[in-house]
Amino acid sequence: MTNSIPFQFKNYQPRRLEIIDTTLREGSQSSLLHDHQKYFFNQEDKIEIVRSLIIYGVKFIELFAPNVSPQEKADFAAIKAARDELIVQKGYTFLLAHVRCHPDDIAAAVDSGADGLNLYIGLSDIARTHSHGKDLMTIVKNARALLEETRANYPHLILRFSGEDAFRTAEADLCRVYDEIAPYVVRFGTPDTVGVATPPSVAQRVKVLRERYPNMDLEGHFHDDRGFSLINALEAIKNGMRYINTTLLGIGDRSGITSITALLYNLYIDKMYDHLEGYHLRESYPINVMFASKLRKLVPSKEPVSLTNRTHTAGVHQKAVLSSVTTYEAFPLDQFGVSESEVLLGPLSGWNVIHYFLKEIKYYHVDEATAKQIAAVFKERVYNLTPQDSPTKLLIEIAESEFGLSHLTVPERFKDNIVQVMADSQRETAVGLKRK
Ligand code: HCA
Ligand code: CU
């Protein structure tokens, strides 16, 4: 099967990997927003998110169909204006509307100036029975007519078609529908709507679709119900899929989809550098921090591009990372914007880190023997801390009032050589570590 539409991407040559970020569509469906009594991103949030994504190097951004609500329509226009402002500096970014195979959605998206339509419809038996109730051939007939008309009326639009729940749709059914639709679109989506796909099933599906539609680009959208959204996206890319849907921090319906920074980080680790063309990897951690603050939370500990991935609490680990961080940090997070490392003072801290903290960070005169004694007292008392106290305060109190430690005088110009600025100065218990 071939796709007959020669499509001009406004002179844009798609890269080896094109991320279609859907933070503002799929991500907006996340229950996390409800948990934090936020419920939706306001227009200011959306513009900041879009600007950050464009600066990060994303060229395709998915938004809701503008007829979802008057607010979505107004937001679409504001986002488009923000996108337009960045064209001279950053090149063109395509705004894609996520639309049902319904004339109202298509008309609203076209009116709002969308560059493309991400059309979708449920194909699996379950969706057909419980969602829209239409049989396969009726779906094909309606979708085909609509797409034919849309293609003819708006030759400039980027049209994509997705069979929702593609991984619970029989291959024969999927192909029967895609065969009919192929002449009108440039991309087929294969969403794993409920997160049932596994790396082998992804590899198999991508191979079948690539063979059957060699001129068609494929797009993946992997939900994380089993925790496979990242590995499935990697597997799809390794088998030749070019377009992948992501969100910031992987948020989305239920447990979400593939995290954008986790995906790029893993491609880097796997040395797939040609897939990273045009992405500003050093912005990875800053973009995660920006987005986490919108959700009123910290960058989650399960996010690979996080400071937590560089935070050490166990005494044995702390001692080792003081000597070389590579002992407990295998991959280079610096390139992803995590330029600090942290050791947290707490019940598990050993005398090494206490010595390091008192001497190198707080500039006390302290020898190792005294640091060992202070550590013993600290370890006894730290369990009784109330939430108002901090381990740092306790340690300093012990050091000064019980051990009578006094300060060294360190010339100003040497201070920066010893300690890095801490990532979050609110966290009094964090010890900044010098990177080696
Ligand atoms: C949805 C379902 C969807 C669609 C993905 C797509 C999914 O919320 O509309 O159209 O590519 O997971 O199937 O997100
Ligand atoms: Cu989804």
Side-chain angles (χ1 to χ4, degrees):
M1 296 296 306
T2 54
N3 154 41
S4 57
I5 309 293
F7 189 82
Q8 296 300 316
F9 273 96
K10 295 189 193 272
N11 298 324
Y12 181 71
Q13 275 300 325
R15 294 166 288 184
R16 190 82 187 266
L17 168 67
E18 290 296 353
I19 280 178
I20 299 177
D21 188 87
T22 181
T23 302
L24 293 182
R25 200 284 295 171
E26 174 75 54
S28 296
Q29 297 171 206
S30 164
S31 59
L32 281 176
L33 292 174
H34 292 249
D35 289 352
H36 297 270
Q37 276 104 49
K38 201 173 157 91
Y39 307 117
F40 59 89
F41 297 118
N42 63 32
Q43 196 174 92
E44 218 173 277
D45 290 336
K46 289 183 177 181
I47 287 172
E48 195 180 347
I49 290 165
V50 163
R51 286 181 60 88
S52 306
L53 287 168
I54 293 175
I55 290 165
Y56 193 44
V58 171
K59 292 286 174 195
F60 295 86
I61 291 177
E62 186 181 73
L63 303 171
F64 281 117
N67 57 332
V68 163
S69 69
Q71 187 60 51
E72 284 302 328
K73 186 174 174 189
D75 292 350
F76 201 109
I79 288 168
K80 189 166 170 292
R83 182 279 311 267
D84 289 348
E85 269 177 25
L86 283 170
I87 293 175
V88 174
Q89 197 188 336
K90 292 281 155 193
Y92 202 83
T93 303
F94 298 86
L95 299 180
L96 310 174
H98 186 248
V99 300
R100 295 170 300 173
C101 285
H102 193 288
D104 292 351
D105 289 17
I106 296 175
V110 169
D111 281 353
S112 296
D115 298 293
L117 307 182
N118 281 354
L119 296 132
Y120 69 97
I121 197 163
L123 295 181
S124 67
D125 286 341
I126 293 175
R128 272 148 49 195
T129 314
H130 301 292
S131 180
H132 49 69
K134 300 192 177 97
D135 70 59
L136 195 67
M137 284 334 281
T138 312
I139 296 169
V140 181
K141 212 172 115 247
N142 293 348
R144 191 191 154 108
L146 198 59
L147 277 158
E148 192 173 359
E149 192 190 324
T150 309
R151 180 79 286 163
N153 291 343
Y154 310 106
H156 63 285
L157 274 183
I158 306 170
L159 297 183
R160 178 218 72 177
F161 180 83
S162 243
E164 200 188 328
D165 211 356
F167 282 83
R168 285 195 300 178
T169 305
E171 201 167 280
D173 286 352
L174 198 65
C175 291
R176 219 163 127 208
V177 177
Y178 284 7
D179 283 358
E180 295 291 324
I181 304 293
Y184 311 108
V185 300
V186 290
R187 218 166 60 242
F188 280 145
T190 56
D192 180 21
T193 307
V194 286
V196 295
T198 59
S201 69
V202 169
Q204 193 266 350
R205 259 299 149 86
V206 175
K207 272 186 204 134
V208 166
L209 293 175
R210 283 196 75 200
E211 263 165 41
R212 194 173 179 94
Y213 310 103
N215 299 320
M216 185 76 72
D217 274 321
L218 300 177
E219 171 182 332
H221 175 105
F222 300 101
H223 274 271
D224 206 37
D225 301 65
R226 296 184 67 183
F228 289 174
S229 66
L230 173 61
I231 189 84
N232 284 341
L234 286 168
E235 190 66 17
I237 293 169
K238 285 172 186 169
N239 282 282
M241 187 175 264
R242 173 179 266 172
Y243 290 82
I244 298 286
N245 290 183
T246 65
T247 60
L248 288 164
L249 302 180
I251 72 163
D253 235 292
R254 308 182 309 282
S255 50
I257 63 166
T258 312
S259 144
I260 184 169
T261 60
L263 181 64
L264 295 178
Y265 181 52
N266 275 282
L267 291 169
Y268 183 90
I269 291 170
D270 288 349
K271 299 192 167 47
M272 294 172 70
Y273 304 122
D274 48 348
H275 288 74
L276 299 173
E277 184 199 331
Y279 294 101
H280 300 291
L281 303 181
R282 273 191 196 276
E283 296 300 318
S284 302
Y285 184 58
I287 206 173
N288 284 346
V289 171
M290 177 281 296
F291 188 63
S293 74
K294 301 240 168 281
L295 297 174
R296 305 198 184 121
K297 59 196 284 229
L298 297 171
V299 176
S301 58
K302 285 289 176 192
E303 168 58 52
V305 183
S306 65
L307 189 59
T308 328
N309 227 351
R310 274 210 164 150
T311 303
H312 308 282
T313 59
V316 173
H317 295 211
Q318 291 180 341
K319 178 175 185 288
V321 296
L322 286 181
S323 161
S324 170
V325 288
T326 56
T327 328
Y328 286 100
E329 294 175 15
F331 304 115
L333 267 171
D334 306 62
Q335 283 94 320
F336 287 77
V338 185
S339 54
E340 280 105 24
S341 185
E342 281 186 341
V343 166
L344 296 186
L345 282 184
L348 302 179
S349 297
W351 71 265
N352 293 280
V353 83
I354 286 176
H355 181 240
Y356 178 89
F357 175 73
L358 291 172
K359 191 166 175 215
E360 307 284 356
I361 292 176
K362 293 292 175 188
Y363 308 121
Y364 287 107
H365 276 293
V366 57
D367 56 29
E368 289 188 5
T370 312
K372 281 182 189 167
Q373 290 170 11
I374 293 174
V377 177
F378 174 75
K379 270 172 181 287
E380 255 172 43
R381 303 228 189 118
V382 73
Y383 286 95
N384 304 325
L385 280 186
T386 66
Q388 284 74 40
D389 298 321
S390 79
T392 315
K393 222 168 101 195
L394 172 67
L395 184 62
I396 288 176
E397 232 169 67
I398 297 171
E400 289 191 354
S401 51
E402 295 179 34
F403 287 81
L405 294 196
S406 60
H407 281 286
L408 288 163
T409 26
V410 178
E412 260 326 295
R413 69 179 195 284
F414 290 137
K415 285 190 176 167
D416 285 347
N417 295 352
I418 301 170
V419 185
Q420 287 221 348
V421 179
M422 278 185 265
D424 180 355
S425 54
Q426 304 292 316
R427 287 176 68 175
E428 281 182 21
T429 50
V431 178
L433 263 194
K434 184 180 160 130
R435 314 289 313 163
K436 302 212 176 175

